[in-house]
Amino acid sequence: MLRCSCSDSRNMHITIMADSETLECITEHERILQEIESTDTACVGPTLRSIYDDQPNAHKRFMEKLDARIRNHDREIEKMCNFHHQGFVDAITELLKVRADAEKLMGQVTDTNRRLQDAGREVTAQTEEVIRCRVQQRNMATTVEKLQLCIPVLEMYSKLKEQLESKRYYAALKTMEQLEKVYIPRVSQYRFCQIMAENLPRLREEIKDISMSDLKDFLESIRKHSDKVGETAMRQAQQHRTFNSAVAKQASMGHYIKPVYSLNERTHAHTPNGLLMDDDTGDDEADEEILTAQDLVDFSPVYRCLHIYTVLGDRETFENYYRKQRKKQARLVLQPQANMHETVEGYRRYFNQIVGFFVVEDHILHATQGLVTRAFTDELWNMALSKIIAVLRTHSSYCDDPDLVLELKNLIVIFADTLQGYGFPVNRLFDLLFEVRDQYNETLLKKWALVFREIFELDNYSPIPVETEDEYKLVVSRFPFHDAEIEKQQDFPKKLPMSQSVPQIYTQVKEFIYASLKFSESLHRSSTEIDDMLRKSTNLLLTRTLSSCLQNLIKKPHIGLTELVQIIINTTHLEQACRYLEEFITNITNVSPETVHTTRLYGLSTFKDARHAAEGEIYTKLNQKIDEFIQLADYEWGMAESDGRASGYLMDLINFLRSTFQVFTHLPGKVAQTACMSACKHLSTSLMQMLLDTELKQISMGAIQQFNLDVIQCELFASSEPVPGFQGDTLQLAFIDLRQLLDLFMVWDWSTYLADYGQPTSKYLRVNPATALALLEKMKDTSKKNNIFSQFRKNDRDKQKLIETVVKQLRSLVNGMSS
């Protein structure tokens, strides 16, 4: 029983659980059916999928439930149809009754419609006509309206074509801009406008190409016109400088100067570049119309091209192209011709081209905004300035003509003044002029060296004869000569001590100073600096050029003693004239010699050196002349007795010396005395060397006596005072060595010589033992040869013994001196 109960309980529990599960399933199926009935069929899929996702076989139960629901709905439909069936039948019956009336009404309506169609056919035709007219009117109005929009576009495009044909490119670009921004957008839907819009960029490129081509033509043209532009600008600068110099000169003279500006008379007007020009047109040369760069060059291609590229938004490209091309042209302009240094025209063309280039650049700088900048022009100028200085430094070094160098300097000054007027710094050019000045001075020195050489070659080296007072004044006017004694002489003719070359040299030195001064003009330097330059260049002329010419002149073989004497006199007068040259420079520069740092003329040393050289040459030539006479000596060294008179060669030599020393009277006393003393010493030395000549082996007593006669003539000449100023027997002392030596042999006073040797009071103090020994050896040999039988004569034997004894003693003295 219990087991049954438990089983029943379990079954009951299972049944209850199944029932509860079934109930839940039925409730879920009801919900799904409600969703299917109330949901759009497109969304049924997820609902149906939930059926298959539930418990197994749930879809079967759902289908059963669905079938039950369908049957239920069918029963409800059937009930409803049964309920409304009678009403439907009645409605059909009523409808059948109305069909006859409807057919009748249809006939009436059709008839009425026919009559209305017949009546409205004419109205319809007229209405269509009216509609067609209205459409035409509307189309015409639209056409007119569109044409009114298109006509300005076409007119502007036609205007654009005219502007392009007339090369008004800037206006054409403005027209294009209006077309693109204003006119074409209004009618952009039309094809012709689209063609126009597509064509405008091509036209812009054509304008750019044409304007660039015009610019290239301009750049090519400006290269050809630069020379003319530069020539005009430099001429204006030169006229301006000339005018200012004239004004300054008149001001310094205290004259009245007419005002620059005047209302009723000749006036001076400022040109655009700041130069002055005369308004009076009476003189074609002085009052020629002043042209500017604008007058000579058409700058419109530059302006036009600049505006075009600015409008096109490509200004930077244009600026870069212009600057690049101008830099290339600058390098070409700065390239000089190979033979530029040969003529001044070569330099002038070179300067004209450079000035023309920078005048154009200056005009472009001020006439345009930003096409070129001051920094760009400064860069170009600095590059050009370095090149110009290098070129001028090189080419000027080739110039050997001072006139050409001077013209070059004037061109450089005008060139610098011209560019300075346009705002370019030119200090380096003026610094270069100092180098050119040195070159100019070198060429002047070379030129004046030729002048001096020619003067010296043409000089007769004789005192200047003056026949009349006028001739005397003429010489004095050319050379500052002052001599109280000559001036006291009333009678003519007179003789001035210097030769013709002295006033010529003095005049040429003044000409050199003038030539040097020409270079110093217009250098914007102070008077002190100019004075210093003149003095330095004059010093160079005196100490280098004139000194070299004098030294060469003195060394020339054909210059004799007379000429040398005259050269000494000439240099003395030139030296005295140096102070007048200093006064001459002072008068030119108005700078006092006492001014601090003033250079002094030290040309005095030139004339002193030349005088010393001439004096030395006099001494040399005198000695050479003495040697020439001595070479004519023809002594018979073995003669038994003398001729009783002096040798002929020696008398000729003394006569020559007398005449020569008479010429020396015009020399300073010290020079004449030195020359006379030098000649006597050289004569004495030469005679002594003749006696002691090693090739002379034997000398007889007769030859000694003859030689003594010649020395006596020399002493007589010395005592005759050939040159005044010697004190006592100073000149005779030149022959003292010879005299004592000859006296020793003539008197044969060996005992006295040997006894007093070495004593200050010795009678033969100037006789050297070696000299006496050498001469005695020659006489000893003669005694042996000429006295074959002397050994048989007692006196001769005694003499030989005496000679041998003296020789031994002399040898001992010589050996003692050597030891």
Side-chain angles (χ1 to χ4, degrees):
M1 290 298 288
L2 289 171
R3 186 180 297 116
C4 292
S5 299
C6 291
S7 176
D8 291 338
S9 298
R10 187 167 53 252
N11 292 334
M12 185 179 298
H13 179 69
I14 292 170
T15 301
I16 292 172
M17 288 178 64
D19 290 339
S20 61
E21 289 177 0
T22 302
L23 181 60
E24 290 177 0
C25 183
I26 293 171
T27 303
E28 180 64 19
H29 289 167
E30 285 292 334
R31 184 184 62 79
I32 291 172
L33 288 174
Q34 289 178 0
E35 286 183 3
I36 292 173
E37 290 174 351
S38 60
T39 304
D40 189 5
T41 57
C43 299
V44 174
T47 304
L48 294 178
R49 188 178 299 110
S50 64
I51 298 172
Y52 292 94
D53 293 339
D54 292 338
Q55 299 177 2
N57 298 323
H59 64 283
K60 293 182 179 180
R61 289 192 296 271
F62 176 73
M63 290 302 295
E64 293 173 355
K65 186 67 175 177
L66 182 59
D67 290 339
R69 178 63 65 87
I70 291 172
R71 287 192 299 270
N72 187 25
H73 282 301
D74 286 341
R75 285 194 296 272
E76 289 178 356
I77 292 170
E78 185 177 357
K79 287 179 182 181
M80 186 175 289
C81 288
N82 291 331
F83 178 78
H84 292 289
H85 178 71
Q86 187 60 43
F88 178 73
V89 172
D90 293 338
I92 292 300
T93 303
E94 289 293 331
L95 183 60
L96 291 173
K97 291 180 182 179
V98 173
R99 186 172 61 182
D101 294 334
E103 291 176 354
K104 182 179 178 181
L105 181 60
M106 185 61 182
Q108 293 177 352
V109 171
T110 301
D111 183 60
T112 301
N113 180 55
R114 179 180 56 77
R115 290 199 304 270
L116 285 173
Q117 290 293 332
D118 293 340
R121 187 172 290 112
E122 183 177 354
V123 176
T124 301
Q126 293 179 355
T127 301
E128 290 177 354
E129 185 67 25
V130 171
I131 292 172
R132 188 169 60 254
C133 288
R134 293 287 176 84
V135 171
Q136 290 177 352
Q137 289 178 351
R138 186 173 64 253
N139 290 342
M140 290 175 64
T142 302
T143 302
V144 169
E145 181 183 356
K146 298 302 181 182
L147 286 175
Q148 288 177 346
L149 291 175
C150 293
I151 286 175
V153 179
L154 296 173
E155 288 177 346
M156 290 295 288
Y157 196 78
S158 176
K159 180 180 178 182
L160 173 62
K161 288 293 186 181
E162 293 177 357
Q163 291 170 341
L164 291 175
E165 291 176 358
S166 61
K167 297 184 178 181
R168 297 163 54 201
Y169 300 119
Y170 182 71
L173 290 174
K174 290 296 184 182
T175 303
M176 288 184 192
E177 186 178 1
Q178 290 181 349
L179 279 171
E180 286 181 332
K181 293 183 178 181
V182 179
Y183 293 95
I184 291 180
R186 298 175 182 173
V187 288
S188 58
Q189 67 273 21
Y190 300 110
R191 180 170 177 76
F192 78 91
C193 288
Q194 296 175 0
I195 295 174
M196 285 184 185
E198 294 173 357
N199 199 29
L200 290 181
R202 182 182 60 81
L203 293 177
R204 281 196 177 91
E205 290 300 321
E206 289 182 1
I207 291 174
K208 285 179 66 174
D209 294 341
I210 293 172
S211 62
M212 184 57 71
S213 177
D214 290 344
L215 177 65
K216 292 178 180 178
D217 294 340
F218 165 80
L219 293 174
E220 183 65 26
S221 174
I222 200 63
R223 282 192 60 194
K224 299 177 181 178
H225 288 83
S226 290
D227 185 65
K228 181 65 176 176
V229 173
E231 180 184 359
T232 303
M234 290 183 68
R235 184 169 65 250
Q236 293 168 8
Q238 187 173 12
Q239 291 173 356
H240 181 52
R241 186 161 62 91
T242 302
F243 173 76
N244 287 341
S245 299
V247 170
K249 185 176 181 181
Q250 290 182 358
S252 64
M253 295 173 63
H255 292 171
Y256 170 73
I257 304 174
K258 296 170 67 174
V260 175
Y261 299 97
S262 178
L263 296 176
N264 54 358
E265 294 184 6
R266 179 176 178 177
T267 62
H268 300 286
H270 282 280
T271 60
N273 60 359
L275 302 178
L276 290 174
M277 63 174 288
D278 294 332
D279 289 341
D280 185 10
T281 58
D283 188 352
D284 294 338
E285 180 66 22
D287 303 312
E288 181 183 357
E289 181 183 1
I290 294 182
L291 301 176
T292 62
Q294 285 179 312
D295 300 321
L296 297 172
V297 180
D298 179 17
F299 288 94
S300 58
V302 180
Y303 305 147
R304 185 164 56 247
C305 198
L306 176 62
H307 291 160
I308 288 171
Y309 273 77
T310 302
V311 171
L312 295 176
D314 204 9
R315 179 187 175 108
E316 184 178 356
T317 299
F318 173 74
E319 290 177 355
N320 293 335
Y321 177 80
Y322 178 85
R323 295 178 184 180
K324 181 179 179 182
Q325 293 302 315
R326 288 299 277 170
K327 278 187 177 180
K328 289 182 179 179
Q329 289 188 345
R331 292 188 179 95
L332 293 176
V333 165
L334 294 170
Q335 191 67 31
Q337 296 180 352
N339 59 345
M340 184 178 71
H341 62 277
E342 296 178 357
T343 61
V344 71
E345 290 301 321
Y347 288 107
R348 183 174 284 110
R349 285 193 298 270
Y350 182 66
F351 287 139
N352 287 344
Q353 290 178 358
I354 296 173
V355 170
F357 178 88
F358 283 100
V359 167
V360 169
E361 285 305 293
D362 181 77
H363 179 80
I364 294 294
L365 174 65
H366 292 89
T368 61
Q369 296 180 350
L371 177 56
V372 294
T373 61
R374 175 57 68 181
F376 174 74
T377 56
D378 289 344
E379 178 187 357
L380 276 181
W381 173 243
N382 290 330
M383 180 268 291
L385 192 58
S386 299
K387 179 66 175 178
I388 292 167
I389 290 175
V391 167
L392 293 178
R393 184 178 288 123
T394 300
H395 282 263
S396 64
S397 63
Y398 298 145
C399 295
D400 54 4
D401 182 5
D403 295 332
L404 179 59
V405 178
L406 184 61
E407 290 181 351
L408 171 60
K409 165 258 174 181
N410 293 331
L411 281 177
I412 293 175
V413 171
I414 297 171
F415 173 73
D417 288 345
T418 302
L419 289 173
Q420 190 174 35
Y422 285 91
F424 295 99
V426 294
N427 292 334
R428 291 175 62 190
L429 284 175
F430 284 102
D431 294 337
L432 172 67
L433 284 175
F434 282 95
E435 298 181 24
V436 179
R437 182 200 64 189
D438 295 337
Q439 175 66 21
Y440 176 70
N441 285 336
E442 288 298 323
T443 57
L444 285 182
L445 293 175
K446 291 179 181 178
K447 178 180 178 181
W448 256 261
L450 298 177
V451 172
F452 291 151
R453 193 174 298 125
E454 183 178 4
I455 291 174
F456 289 140
E457 289 176 357
L458 298 178
D459 193 12
N460 57 8
Y461 296 98
S462 300
I464 301 175
V466 287
E467 302 293 336
T468 62
E469 182 72 22
D470 293 337
E471 290 184 10
Y472 179 77
K473 290 181 179 179
L474 178 62
V475 174
V476 173
S477 66
R478 296 172 57 196
F479 180 76
F481 174 75
H482 301 287
D483 190 311
E485 294 183 1
I486 295 179
E487 290 175 357
K488 288 179 182 179
Q489 298 176 9
Q490 299 296 328
D491 299 332
F492 284 91
K494 300 178 180 179
K495 280 191 176 182
L496 306 183
M498 66 278 190
S499 67
Q500 193 64 46
S501 62
V502 172
Q504 292 176 351
I505 292 293
Y506 183 80
T507 302
Q508 286 301 322
V509 172
K510 291 172 66 175
E511 290 296 326
F512 175 87
I513 293 173
Y514 277 126
S516 182
L517 178 64
K518 288 181 181 179
F519 194 93
S520 302
E521 295 174 347
S522 306
L523 290 185
H524 309 297
R525 298 294 175 178
S526 65
S527 299
T528 305
E529 290 176 304
I530 295 176
D531 181 86
D532 185 65
M533 287 188 287
L534 287 180
R535 291 177 185 272
K536 286 181 178 178
S537 59
T538 306
N539 279 328
L540 281 177
L541 176 72
L542 296 177
T543 59
R544 196 172 78 183
T545 305
L546 182 56
S547 175
S548 176
C549 291
L550 283 171
Q551 296 293 339
N552 293 333
L553 174 67
I554 292 169
K555 297 296 182 181
K556 285 188 175 181
H558 70 275
I559 298 297
L561 291 171
T562 304
E563 289 80 4
L564 288 171
V565 170
Q566 189 62 56
I567 289 173
I568 292 175
I569 296 171
N570 290 349
T571 54
T572 302
H573 287 282
L574 287 172
E575 180 181 351
Q576 295 171 356
C578 279
R579 63 187 181 90
Y580 295 99
L581 289 176
E582 287 197 349
E583 293 177 2
F584 177 72
I585 295 174
T586 300
N587 293 333
I588 292 176
T589 60
N590 292 324
V591 176
S592 173
E594 287 74 21
T595 304
V596 181
H597 304 307
T598 298
T599 303
R600 306 292 297 179
L601 286 184
Y602 46 85
L604 299 175
S605 61
T606 294
F607 304 114
K608 289 180 179 179
D609 294 342
R611 193 158 54 249
H612 292 328
E615 292 170 3
E617 196 67 19
I618 285 177
Y619 308 149
T620 302
K621 287 187 179 296
L622 266 177
N623 294 340
Q624 290 175 353
K625 200 68 178 176
I626 291 172
D627 292 339
E628 290 176 5
F629 279 100
I630 289 179
Q631 288 176 2
L632 299 176
D634 188 15
Y635 287 102
E636 185 180 348
W637 297 107
M639 62 192 308
E641 293 181 358
S642 67
D643 295 338
R645 61 179 182 274
S647 302
Y649 84 93
L650 187 67
M651 297 307 297
D652 293 339
L653 171 58
I654 290 175
N655 291 333
F656 164 76
L657 291 176
R658 289 185 187 279
S659 62
T660 299
F661 290 138
Q662 286 179 358
V663 178
F664 284 10
T665 55
H666 299 293
L667 286 175
K670 198 171 184 180
V671 177
Q673 293 169 12
T674 303
C676 187
M677 178 60 75
S678 173
C680 291
K681 285 183 177 180
H682 184 71
L683 177 57
S684 176
T685 302
S686 299
L687 291 174
M688 181 70 77
Q689 289 176 352
M690 188 184 303
L691 279 178
L692 303 177
D693 189 2
T694 55
E695 295 182 0
L696 178 62
K697 303 299 183 180
Q698 297 176 351
I699 299 177
S700 66
M701 184 56 70
I704 292 292
Q705 293 172 352
Q706 182 64 43
F707 200 81
N708 181 59
L709 292 176
D710 293 343
V711 173
I712 290 173
Q713 291 298 322
C714 293
E715 291 173 332
L716 290 174
F717 168 75
S719 63
S720 66
E721 197 175 6
V723 173
F726 286 106
Q727 295 180 355
D729 57 353
T730 303
L731 193 58
Q732 298 178 43
L733 292 177
F735 301 96
I736 189 65
D737 292 352
L738 267 177
R739 173 47 49 206
Q740 291 185 7
L741 179 63
L742 291 174
D743 286 347
L744 176 62
F745 277 85
M746 292 290 293
V747 179
W748 207 252
D749 194 8
W750 293 105
S751 58
T752 304
Y753 175 76
L754 294 173
D756 295 342
Y757 178 77
Q759 300 296 324
T761 58
S762 175
K763 181 179 178 181
Y764 305 102
L765 181 64
R766 305 299 294 270
V767 177
N768 188 289
T771 304
L773 177 62
L775 186 58
L776 188 59
E777 289 282 357
K778 294 179 181 182
M779 293 189 70
K780 183 179 70 171
D781 294 338
T782 304
S783 299
K784 290 180 179 180
K785 179 179 180 181
N786 294 335
N787 298 291
I788 301 176
F789 300 102
S790 60
Q791 56 182 336
F792 301 107
R793 293 194 292 270
K794 186 175 183 301
N795 292 334
D796 292 335
R797 289 198 304 271
D798 293 340
K799 187 175 182 180
Q800 285 295 327
K801 291 180 180 180
L802 177 60
I803 290 176
E804 291 176 358
T805 302
V806 172
V807 166
K808 291 179 181 179
Q809 293 181 358
L810 289 175
R811 284 176 179 170
S812 64
L813 290 176
V814 171
N815 293 332
M817 292 174 60
S818 62
S819 63

